[in-house]
Each structure stands twice: as C-alpha cells, then as structure tokens.
Amino acid sequence: MFHLIFGLPWLVVLLRFIQPLPWLWSVKLLVAGLLLVASQYHLFNKLSSGSVFSPEFPRPLVIGFNLLMATLILLAVFQIALDVVSVVVTPFLGHFPAVPPELRYAMGAIALGLSAYGVAQAVRVPPVKNIEVAIRNLPPAFEGYRLLQLTDLHISRLFPASWTREVVERSNALGVDLMVVTGDFIDGSLQDRRADVAPLAGLRAPDGILAIPGNHEYYFDYQTWMQHDASLGMRMLLNDHAVIQRGDDKLVVAGVTDLAALGGPSPAPDLAAALEGAPQDAPVILLEHQPRLAPRSAEAGVALQLSGHTHGGMVVGLDRLVARANNGFVSGRYEVGGMTLYVNNGTALWPGFALRLGRPSELTVITLRKG
C-alpha cells in the first residue's frame, strides 16, 4: 500500500515538475531516479527488517530517506497547487500559462528547506511543555501534583540509545511526582531494540513509572515487549489501575490496552476491568493510547484522559485528516462530557514519516489543580 501511495507523488513530480525543466535528460533521469528511490523508502524498510515500521539501516540514511521523501511530497503538493491555479487563470489568458524555470527552482528550494526544518524538528529531543488541568473533587493533598507524560517514543534506528538517554536525563531533571508512558515505545524487535530501550530503566519519579502499550507494540511481539518493559522498572497497566496515596487522600491512575488488540489473542481494552476495585471517591486519570474513545471514558467518570497516537497530526493541514481518523481528537486539550482529554503531540514519532511542521514534539508536564 505504501509503495503505491508514495509512488503517485513521484509521478506528479516527474511529469509536471522535472520533465518541463530545461535540463539535460541525463540530469533529469538522475534526479528522477533519486526521488524514485526515496518514494520507495517503506519498501526498503520492509526489505531491511521484514516490516515497513522498522528501518534497520544507519540513522543518517534513515534521516536522508525522510528528507527526500518529505521533499518529494511537498513538491507534489506545490505542483498540484500550481496546476490548479494555472487552470483557473487559463480562461482569462486564453491559453495555459507557461511556468518559468525560476518558479520551479523556487518551489524546489522551498520544499527542500521546509523538509530539512521539519525533519530536524521531528528528530530532536523535545522541549518541555507545561499545562495545568483542573479536576473536580481533587483531594487537597494532590493540589499541584505534577506528572510527566511521555508518549510515542518510537525508539528505533532514528531514535536510538543516545536519544533515549537524553530524554531520560531531561525527564528526571524535571522533578515530577509521577511519570506515565502512553504507548508506542518502539519500532522493532527486542533483539534489534534491546540496547536502544535500555536507558528507560533510568527513569525516576517518587510515585514510579506507569505505562500502557500502543498499537506498535502489537506489531513486534506484544507479550515479549510487555515483559521487557516491566523489567525496565515500569508498571504496565494492562486493563489495571494503580492507587496513589497522600495520607488519606487517593488518586487513581488506570490504563487500558490498545485497540490494535481487537480480534487478536491479546487482551482487548477493557475500561471496566481497569477500574474494578478502584476507590469510588478518588479522581481517575486514564492512560489510553488512542484518543478516539474519549466519550466512553467520560461516561465512565474519568476525570482526565491522557492519549497520544496522532503525533499531533505532524503537519498543519494534514492534522485535519488525522483528526477525522481519531473521532476529531488530534492535538492538545479537549473537554469531553465533563472530562478533560489531552492528546499529546508525542515525544517522537514513527520513523516512516518523520516530519513536523507546526506540530512540535513535547515533554509534557501536567500540573493538577482543584476545579
């Protein structure tokens, strides 16, 4: 599917951008061939690891593929926009307008520049984002309680051990009470990622590290990854909850498995099971990787749902399409039936499309306030 999808922009660029340029045919063929290789990035991923989700070649090459693929896609978008404008003005000019090569060169430079910026934004260690969330009936002992949400780490050749180590160092320096990880730890098998995820064992918070799986865990031996993540010092909330106490005051943090489990052998997400036995008068924070079922969470009395999965939509404009696939939830804070939903843009993102334009990554510190 990916091979066809990304082959179409290449055809647009070949026929409408490269072909009209006043270049030697040898140069045109060279540029077209380079972009054709870039368009088939996911095919090379599959050849390298057996999965389109896990490129297993050197990080500079992964970055290069993402840079060229993003440039190709942006060029195709710019060219289509140019052709639409040309069609619109044709009746007024009496002929289809000629496009000077200088305009195409400018389009190419802008596409390459935006792609370089967007890939750089995608692969960096993210900055800290601070938000406050008001919760009704928050016990006094939890006023000002601070938790850090990490999500969509996608630890891989693109986000290797050095990147993970820096994320851990920055996270620990924040001095929060609790850390939560809302899924998509990895892209790759345990054999390939063992060293890259190892720094996660260094995460430290007084109330511990609570975590859930995302959909990508199901693509790479779910059971093995759940056991290994737990061995790194994280408590995996697989349709389960934890109770945090401050004297007589309590706060519940519940977690569910991912919707990717539906129809498979692994436990499907079960909010009722996750809340079974939880103190009835304690506010509930729910960890759920995908945000689309937030209305169900609100009906169950959840006060705050923390999700990821969407990567914030990655690019302004593209985020509208991502929102449609996630019940309208794509980035930031939403009020859903008296519950607050926070959809995190992600600590990282899938290495198969590493581009961020207007949707930055984040280390998200959430401070609880009494509402």
Side-chain angles (χ1 to χ4, degrees):
M1 178 182 69
F2 288 117
H3 320 320
L4 175 62
I5 290 173
F6 290 107
L8 293 176
W10 177 78
L11 281 175
V12 171
V13 171
L14 172 67
L15 298 176
R16 298 295 305 132
F17 181 84
I18 295 175
Q19 194 276 332
L21 286 170
W23 294 351
L24 295 173
W25 274 104
S26 57
V27 176
K28 291 182 182 181
L29 288 173
L30 179 63
V31 174
L34 182 63
L35 292 178
L36 177 61
V37 169
S39 75
Q40 297 307 299
Y41 169 46
H42 298 98
L43 174 60
F44 291 110
N45 288 354
K46 189 171 183 178
L47 292 175
S48 73
S49 67
S51 169
V52 296
F53 297 105
S54 178
E56 296 298 338
F57 29 82
R59 187 176 193 245
L61 189 54
V62 177
I63 291 173
F65 264 118
N66 274 285
L67 173 63
L68 288 177
M69 188 177 69
T71 301
L72 172 67
I73 293 170
L74 290 177
L75 261 182
V77 171
F78 292 165
Q79 183 61 55
I80 291 170
L82 177 61
D83 285 345
V84 168
V85 171
S86 296
V87 169
V88 170
V89 302
T90 293
F92 301 97
L93 298 177
H95 59 86
F96 196 84
V99 177
E102 291 77 13
L103 179 56
R104 297 189 192 276
Y105 298 151
M107 288 165 53
I110 293 170
L112 181 60
L114 282 175
S115 298
Y117 174 78
V119 171
Q121 291 293 296
V123 304
R124 67 178 178 171
V125 174
V128 176
K129 180 177 181 179
N130 290 284
I131 67 170
E132 293 190 352
V133 175
I135 293 181
R136 287 178 298 184
N137 303 319
L138 183 71
F142 289 97
E143 172 68 29
Y145 189 85
R146 298 169 70 240
L147 60 104
L148 171 69
Q149 182 192 9
L150 304 175
T151 191
D152 298 276
L153 294 148
H154 290 280
I155 294 169
S156 57
R157 284 295 184 98
L158 186 58
F159 301 102
S162 58
W163 180 90
T164 310
R165 192 174 301 112
E166 191 170 348
V167 167
V168 168
E169 290 172 357
R170 291 195 187 182
S171 298
N172 289 342
L174 294 170
V176 297
D177 300 293
L178 172 71
M179 294 184 190
V180 300
V181 186
T182 50
D184 279 4
F185 284 82
I186 48 83
D187 277 303
S189 67
L190 178 56
Q191 176 182 347
D192 290 329
R193 294 285 83 80
R194 186 184 296 272
D196 295 321
V197 301
L200 293 179
L203 288 171
R204 295 288 183 268
D207 290 325
I209 319 298
L210 303 177
I212 58 169
N215 55 307
H216 280 234
E217 273 71 53
Y218 294 84
Y219 307 154
F220 299 101
D221 196 345
Y222 167 82
Q223 291 295 345
T224 296
W225 273 116
M226 292 304 95
Q227 295 169 10
H228 188 73
D229 289 342
S231 76
L232 296 175
M234 289 172 274
R235 178 176 172 185
M236 302 303 296
L237 297 178
L238 310 177
N239 298 328
D240 197 1
H241 69 269
V243 179
I244 300 170
Q245 290 194 237
R246 294 284 190 273
D248 293 331
D249 291 342
K250 299 176 182 178
L251 180 70
V252 172
V253 181
V256 293
T257 57
D258 189 70
L259 290 166
L262 294 174
S266 302
D270 189 337
L271 181 55
L275 296 177
E276 186 176 354
Q280 294 297 310
D281 56 347
V284 175
I285 298 175
L286 176 65
L287 312 181
E288 181 161 16
H289 180 65
Q290 300 192 40
R292 70 174 91 166
L293 296 183
R296 172 219 59 185
S297 304
E299 290 177 4
V302 171
L304 168 64
Q305 177 174 320
L306 300 179
S307 297
H309 182 62
T310 65
H311 307 158
M314 297 168 289
V315 178
V316 173
L318 179 62
D319 60 333
R320 294 300 91 207
L321 294 177
V322 176
R324 290 174 65 89
N326 290 276
N327 202 17
F329 309 120
V330 66
S331 177
R333 185 196 305 252
Y334 301 86
E335 297 302 321
V336 185
M339 177 192 79
T340 299
L341 165 67
Y342 186 76
V343 183
N344 194 306
N345 284 352
T347 314
L349 76 179
W350 175 46
F353 188 54
L355 185 72
R356 286 191 180 275
L357 293 171
R359 290 291 179 262
S361 54
E362 56 189 74
L363 294 174
T364 315
V365 176
I366 300 162
T367 302
L368 304 185
R369 300 295 183 190
K370 187 179 175 82

